[in-house]
């Protein structure tokens, strides 16, 4: 528990630090909020602009503006989205649900493919099966995800015409919504699964070389029991770590996939907000992405504690 | 009797002894040569990558246009080769940038150990855990004029290239740093380092003269493996419209155009992706091959 407490404090510090960095970076983007405001009124003079700047506190130093923003954000006030003409929070929630669904299904599918594939490959290293799985995984990690998405569109939407090429199926029923999810989930899964397969295989190979595996075999346990009971559980520890570390990559992947498939999720929202000078929305969305990644990391740590008995006893790994 | 083999020739033999690494290396060299020869191909075809021919849109492959033409009647082969120049150049420069940053961080962390090591490695891990792409987009969307850079630089052709190289390098160095750190951690306990320290050599001298040369093979391996990643990052950014800007082609932005035309000319989307895939795969294979050749102890992970 002490271990998790430490990780929680660390994550909070990272989040604060990131909020300051992103706040500063947003200020360096092209355009200026006051310029955008006064462009609506040609009678505005430069004195008026300066007064507006003062009213909105934009003449204050960066650190003070950040503190003010943070104070408001903690109370749930993230400001107004210029592009979507509604409070930032209202714009974020539906996008987050959309992306969460995409990422969740893709992650489950990734693990459902990678765990058996990695175990099978590790069972007979350098066999034909291992080589075939290794080759496919290698192809997977070398393929640009957005291109994969395009190829899926060409095959399933353009040539076969069996699945929609984009959109979220808004307005349609549950079936329609699901049909729109198939290709994005497939693209996101294929983009990440190769790395996981390689990792599961390496972790399994490592545990299969341990003493307790030899003992289990010497006791006359079946190979199946050795693999599933004695090797898989310890091998899951590094895999759980990878899920946590890889959460940011999964989010990045979702952003690309959403852009290619024109889905109204977080990825698309961040992209549009940044390019459309929607400072409030961009800032909140980027921080939410960071927050989610950190939560993903913490959940993976929690999984680690559940898997690793040493951690539960309060020992901190190096 | 033959002359005793040096470690380098042994490594060379190990590397060349595997047919797939040799094939990958030759493919990579062929790609680079083809891309470098783009002006020659243009001269042979009597056109260039930018020439628009609105009467010859979406032309099928022919002797004049070996891979056909795009939506503006531009030659697809030439645009692919020109795009490859941009993508490979950015990849090469950003991989070198990543190598420099990663080596400095890894060397410092590994040599000093203790607290500096803990801080630098936390930073490396932290960077890996962040949602990379949104942050890259923010950096790519920054207004360079607001950073206080002179206008003459901001509006030059060079600025676009330099910007993407810097952005990609800023996130590409972590692999290099990890490998270099692990190696530096081991090397600092070696007797020749202890001997140098006993003679009164300072930290700077030990790091540059005694440790850095021994890191060369790790750095080369890590850089080759990072290059594949870096090329993927550049492609994604250009695809999203934030990297190399049209009309200058790059493999990434050729795909942006192809996506809009996916219903009328799906074949346009195939070539740039295949070339990226080929480059990244060959780089990864060569990197793995180099690792096994240069470090016989390394196991294939």
């Amino acid at each position: 528990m002490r271990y998790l407490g430490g990780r929680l404090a660390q994550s909070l510090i990272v989040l604060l630090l990131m909020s300051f960095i992103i706040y500063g970076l947003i200020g360096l983007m092209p355009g200026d909020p006051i310029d955008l405001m006064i462009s609506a009124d040609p009678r505005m003079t430069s004195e008026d602009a300066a007064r507006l700047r003062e009213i909105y506190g934009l003449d204050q130093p960066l650190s003070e503006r950040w503190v003010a923003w943070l104070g408001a954000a903690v109370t749930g006030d993230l400001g107004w989205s210029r592009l979507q003409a509604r409070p930032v929070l209202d714009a974020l929630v539906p996008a987050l649900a959309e992306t969460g669904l995409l990422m969740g299904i893709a992650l489950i599918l990734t693990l459902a493919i990678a765990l058996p594939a990695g175990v099978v490959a590790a069972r007979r290293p350098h066999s034909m099966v291992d080589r075939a799985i290794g080759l496919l995984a290698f192809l997977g990690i070398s393929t640009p995800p957005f291109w994969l998405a395009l190829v899926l569109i060409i095959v399933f939407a353009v040539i076969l015409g069996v699945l929609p090429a984009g959109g979220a199926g808004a307005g349609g029923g549950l079936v329609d919504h699901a049909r729109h999810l198939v290709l994005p989930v497939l693209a996101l899964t294929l983009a990440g699964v190769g790395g996981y397969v390689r990792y599961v295989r390496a972790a399994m190979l490592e545990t299969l070389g341990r003493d307790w595996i030899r003992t289990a075999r010497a006791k006359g346990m079946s190979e199946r029991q050795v693999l599933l009971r004695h090797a898989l559980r310890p091998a899951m520890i590094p895999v759980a770590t990878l899920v946590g570390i890889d959460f940011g990559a999964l989010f990045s992947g979702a952003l690309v996939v959403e852009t290619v498939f024109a889905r109204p999720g977080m990825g698309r929202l961040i992209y549009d907000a940044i390019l459309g000078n929607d400072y409030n929305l961009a800032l909140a969305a980027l921080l939410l992405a960071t927050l989610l990644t950190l939560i993903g990391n913490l959940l993976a740590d929690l999984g680690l504690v559940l898997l690793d008995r040493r951690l539960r006893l309060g020992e901190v790994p190096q | 009797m033959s002359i005793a083999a040096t470690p380098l020739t042994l490594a060379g033999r190990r590397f060349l002894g595997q047919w797939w690494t040799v094939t990958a290396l030759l493919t990579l060299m062929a790609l680079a040569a083809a891309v470098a020869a783009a002006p020659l191909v243009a001269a042979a075809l009597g056109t260039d990558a930018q020439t628009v021919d609105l009467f010859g849109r979406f032309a099928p492959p022919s002797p004049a246009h070996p891979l056909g033409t795009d939506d503006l009647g531009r030659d697809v082969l030439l645009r692919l080769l020109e795009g490859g120049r941009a993508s490979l150049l950015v990849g090469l420069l950003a991989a070198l940038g990543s190598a420099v940053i990663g080596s400095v961080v890894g060397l410092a962390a590994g040599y000093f150990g203790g607290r500096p090591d803990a801080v630098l490695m936390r930073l490396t891990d932290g960077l890996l855990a962040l949602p990379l792409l949104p942050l890259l987009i923010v950096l790519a969307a920054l207004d360079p004029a607001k950073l206080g850079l002179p206008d003459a630089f901001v509006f030059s052709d060079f600025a676009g290239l330099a910007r993407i190289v810097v952005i990609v390098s800023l996130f590409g160095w972590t692999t290099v740093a990890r490998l270099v750190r692990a190696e530096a951690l081991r090397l600092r306990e070696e007797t020749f380092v202890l001997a140098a320290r006993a003679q009164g050599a300072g930290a700077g001298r030990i790091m540059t003269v005694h440790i850095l040369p021994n890191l060369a093979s790790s750095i080369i391996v890590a850089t080759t493996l990072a290059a594949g990643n870096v090329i993927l990052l550049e492609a994604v950014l250009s695809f999203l419209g934030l990297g190399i800007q049209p009309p200058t082609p790059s493999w990434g932005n050729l795909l942006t155009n192809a996506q809009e035309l996916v219903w009328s000319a799906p074949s346009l989307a195939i070539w740039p992706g295949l070339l990226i895939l080929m480059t990244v795969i060959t780089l990864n294979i060569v990197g793995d091959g180099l690792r096994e050749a240069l470090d016989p102890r390394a196991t294939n992970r």
Side-chain angles (χ1 to χ4, degrees):
Chain A
M1 281 306 112
R2 225 183 55 218
Y3 171 65
L4 278 184
R7 297 283 292 118
L8 193 66
Q10 229 172 53
S11 303
L12 274 177
I13 295 172
V14 172
L15 189 65
L16 272 180
L17 201 68
M18 282 310 294
S19 81
F20 184 69
I21 293 173
I22 294 173
Y23 194 90
L25 286 176
I26 296 276
L28 288 171
M29 295 209 309
D32 180 282
I34 300 296
D35 287 350
L36 282 170
M37 282 173 76
I38 61 177
S39 63
D41 184 351
R43 289 167 305 168
M44 283 286 190
T45 62
S46 56
E47 285 83 43
D48 293 335
R51 262 181 43 224
L52 274 175
R53 211 167 277 277
E54 206 174 307
I55 291 170
Y56 286 99
L58 287 170
D59 55 340
Q60 302 288 317
L62 183 68
S63 55
E64 281 180 32
R65 279 187 282 143
W66 174 66
V67 169
W69 175 84
L70 199 65
V74 168
T75 64
D77 176 15
L78 291 168
W80 185 261
S81 162
R82 207 172 70 79
L83 281 183
Q84 305 213 6
R86 52 178 171 168
V88 164
L89 210 53
D90 293 358
L92 282 179
V93 172
L96 188 60
E98 198 70 60
T99 303
L101 188 67
L102 176 63
M103 284 172 64
I105 302 178
L107 183 61
I108 292 169
L109 209 56
T110 301
L111 289 175
I113 297 171
L115 284 177
V119 171
V120 167
R123 229 178 96 171
R124 292 208 176 77
H126 305 295
S127 64
M128 284 303 282
V129 180
D130 180 33
R131 271 165 211 252
I133 291 176
L135 185 70
L136 284 177
F138 202 77
L139 269 177
I141 57 170
S142 306
T143 309
F146 59 97
W147 182 62
L148 193 67
L150 264 178
V151 171
L152 287 176
I153 292 181
I154 291 174
V155 173
F156 290 100
V158 177
I159 297 177
L160 298 176
V162 289
L163 286 166
L174 202 62
V175 176
D176 198 37
H177 201 93
R179 267 166 49 86
H180 281 85
L181 257 175
V182 175
L183 289 184
V185 164
L186 206 55
L188 194 53
T189 305
L190 290 178
V193 77
Y196 276 93
V197 170
R198 284 166 66 116
Y199 206 80
V200 172
R201 176 183 179 273
M204 279 299 283
L205 275 182
E206 172 123 25
T207 42
L208 282 176
R210 294 299 178 85
D211 289 344
W212 69 79
I213 300 294
R214 201 163 9 135
T215 310
R217 282 192 180 133
K219 279 197 307 186
M221 287 181 103
S222 72
E223 192 60 25
R224 183 190 175 79
Q225 268 182 318
V226 171
L227 274 179
L228 298 183
R229 275 232 194 120
H230 292 267
L232 194 56
R233 185 185 168 111
M236 284 298 286
I237 295 172
V239 176
T241 322
L242 182 69
V243 174
I245 295 175
D246 205 54
F247 204 81
L250 185 64
F251 189 86
S252 296
L255 191 150
V256 173
V257 166
E258 281 173 359
T259 313
V260 178
F261 288 99
R263 293 179 63 80
M266 285 293 287
R268 180 121 213 121
L269 180 131
I270 289 177
Y271 182 73
D272 288 344
I274 290 173
L275 295 191
N277 287 332
D278 195 340
Y279 306 103
N280 288 338
L281 188 60
L283 182 58
L286 282 167
L287 276 179
L288 187 61
T290 313
L291 177 71
L292 285 178
T293 313
L294 292 175
I295 291 177
N297 277 316
L298 280 175
L299 284 179
D301 279 339
L302 189 68
L304 268 187
V305 172
L306 293 178
L307 281 167
D308 193 336
R309 296 202 172 91
R310 284 166 308 177
L311 279 175
R312 247 183 293 171
L313 294 173
E315 291 169 34
V316 174
Q318 53 91 30
Chain B
M1 238 181 86
S2 67
I3 306 162
T6 65
L8 201 63
T9 52
L10 276 178
R13 263 183 232 161
R14 269 197 298 272
F15 182 80
L16 295 176
Q18 289 171 310
W19 63 267
W20 62 90
T21 38
V22 177
T23 315
L25 187 66
L26 289 178
T27 313
L28 198 59
M29 280 159 62
L31 260 175
V35 157
L40 295 178
V41 179
L45 294 174
T47 177
D48 66 45
Q50 311 288 0
T51 304
V52 171
D53 174 14
L54 292 178
F55 293 103
R57 301 172 69 216
F58 300 124
S62 65
H65 300 290
L67 291 178
T69 61
D70 69 1
D71 53 321
L72 294 177
R74 294 173 295 193
D75 187 80
V76 170
L77 177 66
L78 282 176
R79 287 189 70 71
L80 281 172
L81 293 179
E82 277 296 329
R85 288 177 89 114
S87 294
L88 292 186
L89 185 64
V90 169
L92 184 68
L93 293 178
L96 289 178
S98 305
V100 172
I101 304 176
S103 302
V104 171
V105 172
L107 187 55
Y111 182 73
F112 290 115
R115 188 156 286 252
D117 181 33
V119 171
L120 285 173
M121 283 302 112
R122 225 354 90 66
L123 182 77
T124 315
D125 290 345
L127 202 60
L128 270 182
L130 290 176
L132 192 65
L133 198 57
L135 294 174
L136 282 175
I137 293 177
V138 175
L139 286 180
L142 291 186
D143 183 356
K146 284 196 183 177
L147 287 173
L149 296 172
D151 279 1
F153 173 75
V154 170
F155 296 107
S156 64
D157 291 340
F158 176 69
L161 192 80
R163 165 203 281 253
I164 179 112
V165 168
V166 169
I167 292 175
V168 174
S169 307
L170 276 180
F171 288 89
W173 55 268
T174 48
T175 347
V176 185
R178 271 159 194 282
L179 272 167
V180 167
R181 172 200 173 249
E183 201 57 18
L185 213 53
R186 187 179 68 76
L187 283 169
R188 73 174 180 153
E189 308 296 342
E190 292 279 335
T191 39
F192 63 86
V193 173
L194 297 179
R197 201 176 292 142
Q199 284 178 335
R205 187 175 163 81
I206 292 178
M207 280 197 278
T208 49
V209 178
H210 298 285
I211 295 188
L212 196 58
N214 284 300
L215 288 173
S217 59
S218 306
I219 295 178
I220 293 171
V221 170
T223 308
T224 316
L225 292 172
N229 256 331
V230 156
I231 286 178
L232 281 179
L233 274 183
E234 184 277 325
V236 157
L237 278 182
S238 294
F239 176 69
L240 293 174
L242 293 157
I244 310 266
Q245 297 297 328
T248 304
S250 82
W251 287 339
N253 73 29
L254 284 174
L255 282 169
T256 319
N257 194 33
Q259 194 195 353
E260 288 158 21
L261 302 165
V262 79
W263 294 96
S264 44
S267 67
L268 284 181
I270 300 302
W271 295 111
L274 272 183
L275 287 174
I276 301 173
L277 180 63
M278 239 164 86
T279 313
V280 177
I281 283 192
T282 51
L283 277 170
N284 284 342
I285 295 178
V286 170
D288 275 350
L290 278 175
R291 176 166 56 193
E292 272 160 42
L294 289 172
D295 186 1
R297 286 163 306 140
T299 46
N300 190 8
R301 292 221 309 149

